[in-house]
């Protein structure tokens, strides 16, 4: 949103410089995570690199992190080791950011002494939200106020009381002006009961699920598949009596990572203990044995359509329309197209409810 619609159409150099340490910390933490799991999953192939793991684990991953060319070169050595890659391919078994692959591909630039993060770097970092962060935007005469709140347990007490009378998305229609207020709320299981009742007058809900997490488990429950949990939550919200007249906009995000993963990681698994999506049926080549791009595209489309139905078929109200989009949040052009489409959808809904256009 800031890149597309911020006052400077992105970040100033000073703002980007403030993300430098965050990039370093993200990289160090995620490399450490893979190295720690490699010891039991797939040890590094190079004995000399194995001897450097303990020293690397002692590197600071806080705001006083030191990151130079030597650090970047060592990370690339780890990254290129077959044992590290085998562990990385099993990352669905532990918690690590997919963005590590991107940062390693950009390591020569990132480890340079004059490094300043670019917008793509910033889009891929993970920053823990503390307190409430407010951003305002004006888009084609439409005023947006967006609030980002911390989802961690120790953050919730700071903001949850502030939203006891929120209607989530408020639309005030005028001839040349519409005001939008958007709130981002915690999606964790123990968070939902705190906010779900407060949004009974919402006009539309944007539900975002990561389509690439079909083989991953929850951080708080290692027995629950992330996509299964997302479908359950979608069902809960879509069919809640609080949202009986609320339109749903479904974003299946991270399609770029989904496409890459789908080439090598099977969607359906028939293992008795760790099976998933066993009712998915497809006749044709399966990962990783695609003879050509056309065969992969057919498989991709079949899995994509299956996932869409997983969500959409949970809607028990035949009068409620589910707007669907497959998105890539790091592609600003993609997000802009989808966001504009959602804006049109929501405006049409409000005009119809106000009696300005026929329903």
């Amino acid at each position: 949103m800031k890149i597309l619609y911020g006052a400077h159409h992105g970040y100033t150099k000073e703002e980007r410089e403030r993300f430098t340490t965050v990039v370093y910390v993200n990289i160090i933490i995620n490399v450490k995570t893979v190295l720690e799991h490699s010891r039991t999953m797939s040890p590094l192939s190079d004995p000399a690199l194995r001897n450097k793991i303990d020293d690397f684990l002692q590197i600071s991953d806080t705001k006083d992190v030191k990151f130079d060319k030597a650090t970047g070169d060592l990370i690339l050595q780890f990254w290129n080791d077959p044992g590290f890659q085998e562990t990385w391919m099993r990352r669905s078994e532990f918690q690590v950011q997919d963005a590590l692959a991107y940062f390693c591909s950009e390591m020569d630039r990132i480890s340079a002494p004059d490094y300043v993060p670019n917008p793509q770097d910033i889009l891929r970092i993970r920053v823990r939200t503390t307190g409430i962060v407010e951003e305002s935007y004006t888009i084609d005469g439409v005023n947006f106020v967006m609030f980002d709140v911390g989802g961690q347990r120790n953050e919730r007490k700071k903001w949850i009381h502030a939203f006891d009378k929120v209607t989530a998305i408020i639309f005030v229609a005028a001839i040349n002006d519409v005001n939008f207020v958007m709130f981002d709320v915690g999606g964790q299981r123990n968070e939902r009961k705190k906010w779900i009742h407060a949004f009974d007058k919402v006009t539309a809900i944007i539900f975002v699920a990561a389509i690439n997490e079909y083989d991953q488990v929850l951080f708080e429950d290692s027995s629950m598949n992330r996509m299964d949990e997302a479908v359950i939550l979608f069902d809960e919200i879509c069919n809640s009596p609080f949202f009986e007249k609320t339109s749903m906009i479904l974003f299946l995000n991270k399609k770029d990572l989904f496409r890459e993963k789908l080439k090598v990681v099977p969607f359906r698994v028939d293992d008795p203990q760790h099976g998933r999506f066993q009712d998915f049926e497809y006749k044709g080549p399966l990962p990783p044995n695609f003879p050509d791009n056309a065969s992969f595209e057919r498989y991709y489309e079949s899995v994509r359509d299956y996932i869409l139905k997983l969500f959409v078929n949970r809607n028990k109200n035949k009068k409620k329309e589910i707007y669907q989009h497959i998105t890539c949040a790091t592609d600003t052009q993609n997000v802009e197209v989808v966001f504009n489409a959602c804006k049109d959808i929501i405006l049409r809904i409000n005009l119809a409810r106000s009696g300005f256009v026929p329903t």
Side-chain angles (χ1 to χ4, degrees):
M1 289 295 294
K2 190 175 182 69
I3 292 172
L4 289 172
Y5 304 114
H8 302 282
H9 295 287
Y11 296 89
T12 65
K13 184 179 180 182
E14 291 74 18
E15 288 174 323
R16 290 188 289 118
E17 287 174 342
R18 290 199 288 268
F19 285 104
T20 301
T21 299
V22 182
V23 172
Y24 293 158
V25 168
N26 272 225
I27 294 171
I28 295 293
I29 288 176
N30 284 283
V31 173
K32 285 183 177 181
T33 299
V34 179
L35 287 174
E36 288 169 342
H37 284 85
S38 73
R39 288 174 159 169
T40 55
M41 288 185 171
S42 182
L44 300 188
S45 302
D46 187 341
L49 282 179
R50 288 202 299 269
N51 293 333
K52 296 180 180 180
I53 292 179
D54 287 335
D55 288 339
F56 187 85
L57 294 178
Q58 299 304 312
I59 294 177
S60 173
D61 53 23
T62 60
K63 62 182 180 180
D64 60 344
V65 61
K66 305 296 183 184
F67 203 105
D68 54 19
K69 190 176 186 305
T71 304
D73 289 344
L74 179 57
I75 289 173
L76 285 182
Q77 291 178 50
F78 286 141
W79 176 258
N80 291 321
D81 185 274
F84 191 100
Q85 283 299 310
E86 288 186 27
T87 304
W88 175 251
M89 291 302 295
R90 295 175 61 184
R91 63 189 179 277
S92 63
E93 300 175 36
F94 53 93
Q95 306 294 330
V96 68
Q97 291 173 253
D98 289 314
L100 180 60
Y102 165 82
F103 287 127
C104 286
S105 71
E106 300 289 322
M107 190 57 67
D108 288 342
R109 177 175 58 85
I110 292 172
S111 60
D114 58 349
Y115 168 67
V116 176
N118 63 32
Q120 287 299 314
D121 298 341
I122 296 171
L123 283 171
R124 287 172 169 83
I125 59 176
R126 182 175 183 178
V127 182
R128 175 179 172 177
T129 303
T130 56
I132 302 173
V133 179
E134 178 180 342
E135 293 282 354
S136 299
Y137 308 99
T138 300
I139 310 170
D140 298 331
V142 180
N143 298 320
F144 284 75
V145 181
M146 302 187 68
F147 296 90
D148 183 12
V149 296
Q152 298 82 10
R153 289 180 178 177
N154 61 341
E155 284 298 306
R156 295 165 196 162
K157 61 180 181 290
K158 299 179 182 179
W159 58 260
I160 193 68
H161 66 280
F163 297 97
D164 59 336
K165 296 181 180 179
V166 164
T167 55
I169 307 176
I170 304 173
F171 301 90
V172 182
I175 296 177
N176 296 315
D177 181 63
V178 181
N179 296 317
F180 289 71
V181 181
M182 303 177 67
F183 295 92
D184 179 12
V185 296
Q188 297 84 359
R189 291 175 173 177
N190 59 344
E191 278 299 291
R192 296 166 199 163
K193 62 185 178 182
K194 297 179 181 178
W195 55 257
I196 194 167
H197 65 280
F199 300 99
D200 57 334
K201 296 181 182 179
V202 168
T203 301
I205 294 175
I206 298 177
F207 187 97
V208 184
I211 194 173
N212 67 309
E213 294 182 348
Y214 63 85
D215 66 332
Q216 296 174 246
V217 296
L218 296 180
F219 178 79
E220 60 265 47
D221 182 358
S222 60
S223 67
M224 173 60 73
N225 178 280
R226 290 190 182 186
M227 184 164 290
D228 286 340
E229 176 74 1
V231 172
I232 292 170
L233 176 57
F234 183 83
D235 187 334
E236 178 182 340
I237 294 176
C238 184
N239 298 304
S240 168
F242 295 112
F243 307 130
E244 183 178 358
K245 298 181 180 180
T246 305
S247 298
M248 298 289 295
I249 302 170
L250 173 63
F251 282 3
L252 294 181
N253 194 31
K254 300 185 179 181
K255 70 174 183 180
D256 53 334
L257 299 177
F258 173 61
R259 287 179 62 87
E260 291 304 312
K261 179 180 285 188
L262 203 59
K263 293 176 182 177
V264 293
V265 180
F267 181 73
R268 170 174 171 165
V269 174
D270 292 319
D271 183 275
Q273 291 185 324
H274 305 288
R276 60 175 181 260
F277 309 116
Q278 295 178 1
D279 60 341
F280 170 70
E281 297 182 357
Y282 180 77
K283 295 181 179 179
L286 299 173
N289 303 309
F290 298 109
D292 51 45
N293 188 61
S295 61
F296 167 72
E297 290 297 333
R298 287 191 292 271
Y299 180 71
Y300 163 77
E301 291 173 3
S302 181
V303 174
R304 178 202 62 196
D305 293 345
Y306 171 88
I307 294 174
L308 280 170
K309 288 180 181 178
L310 278 181
F311 287 90
V312 175
N313 288 348
R314 292 297 184 114
N315 177 23
K316 299 174 184 177
N317 183 355
K318 300 304 179 184
K319 295 182 179 180
K320 176 181 292 189
E321 188 167 0
I322 309 295
Y323 301 95
Q324 312 154 28
H325 299 281
I326 309 294
T327 64
C328 173
T330 57
D331 182 346
T332 55
Q333 290 184 335
N334 177 284
V335 172
E336 185 174 17
V337 170
V338 172
F339 188 78
N340 286 336
C342 292
K343 187 174 65 175
D344 290 340
I345 290 167
I346 295 169
L347 287 173
R348 285 201 304 270
I349 292 170
N350 279 273
L351 288 171
R353 289 181 178 178
S354 301
F356 291 109
V357 296
T359 58

